[in-house]
Amino acid sequence: MHGYGPTPQQQTTSRPSPATLTTVRVILVTVTVLSCGLLGWVAMLRLAIVTRRPRDWVLLVVVMVLNAALFAFIVSTPDDPDDMSDASVLLMLLWIVALLAGVITYYLYVEIRHYSSLRSLGSPAPYTATAPAHPTPLPYQQPPTQQHQHQQPQQHHQQPQPNPYTVQTPPPTPTPAPQRLDQVRAELDELSDYLRKENREGEGR
């Protein structure tokens, strides 16, 4: 377990420089092409030593067997090309082209991929800071029961305030009592009797 500071880097695998690798590849490809595939086993031997994988060693043996068979086939053909049959010429050409294409393509692809993976493994890892072992304490919070007890007395002291936007309705007008109507009616009757009386006295004179 590491504390603060950069993570220790893994030990990088030593590998040749890009210029050296390019030179070696050019030489091996050139030798394979100029030998018509008969020296293709040299490139496969180099690949098997670099990768150290069982599959590449097996392919090296296969290429060596094909090279030996191709060499034996060329030796068995007549010295005069005119004496060779068309089938023999076609078979030899296909054999050489397939061996050249297979060896060169496989060698370049696997070796370039191998050194690319070594480059990615040897690159330094980014700096990562380790989090502290002890968590940061949270601020103290008052229990909800005590807060309720402190808020409850304040609610008793608060009194409702009138709303200024409320329209106050006027009190209803009191209706006249029935006694007032009877009194007016009696006064009207008295006035009517008085007028009749005055009218009779005027006629008697």
Side-chain angles (χ1 to χ4, degrees):
M1 182 176 180
H2 304 285
Y4 293 99
T7 306
Q9 301 178 2
Q10 297 178 355
Q11 184 178 3
T12 57
T13 305
S14 60
R15 64 183 188 89
S17 63
T20 304
L21 291 175
T22 303
T23 303
V24 172
R25 291 166 187 167
V26 170
I27 293 174
L28 291 178
V29 170
T30 303
V31 169
T32 303
V33 173
L34 293 180
S35 64
C36 296
L38 294 176
L39 296 179
W41 61 270
V42 178
M44 296 301 297
L45 177 62
R46 150 83 179 175
L47 184 64
I49 294 173
V50 169
T51 60
R52 299 178 182 179
R53 294 188 303 182
R55 182 180 65 180
D56 294 334
W57 289 103
V58 172
L59 291 177
L60 171 63
V61 175
V62 172
V63 171
M64 293 179 67
V65 172
L66 292 175
N67 288 338
L70 178 61
F71 180 77
F73 180 78
I74 293 175
V75 171
S76 64
T77 57
D79 296 334
D80 189 1
D82 296 335
D83 296 338
M84 294 180 60
S85 62
D86 294 339
S88 298
V89 174
L90 182 61
L91 177 61
M92 186 176 61
L93 290 177
L94 291 177
W95 198 332
I96 294 174
V97 171
L99 192 59
L100 286 174
V103 170
I104 294 174
T105 303
Y106 184 79
Y107 164 69
L108 292 177
Y109 172 75
V110 175
E111 188 178 79
I112 292 173
R113 185 178 179 182
H114 173 72
Y115 282 109
S116 298
S117 62
L118 290 180
R119 187 184 300 110
S120 62
L121 290 176
S123 59
Y127 172 78
T128 54
T130 308
H134 301 286
T136 305
L138 297 175
Y140 174 75
Q141 296 182 357
Q142 192 175 4
T145 55
Q146 296 182 3
Q147 294 180 1
H148 181 71
Q149 293 176 0
H150 287 289
Q151 294 177 359
Q152 187 174 4
Q154 297 178 2
Q155 295 178 358
H156 292 290
H157 294 288
Q158 294 178 356
Q159 295 181 358
Q161 298 179 358
N163 191 355
Y165 298 99
T166 304
V167 179
Q168 297 182 358
T169 57
T173 306
T175 57
Q179 297 179 359
R180 179 66 177 170
L181 293 176
D182 295 341
Q183 184 178 359
V184 172
R185 200 173 292 162
E187 293 178 355
L188 290 176
D189 292 341
E190 292 179 358
L191 181 59
S192 178
D193 294 340
Y194 177 75
L195 292 176
R196 286 196 196 101
K197 184 178 179 182
E198 290 292 333
N199 193 10
R200 290 176 184 173
E201 292 179 355
E203 289 178 358
R205 293 178 184 174

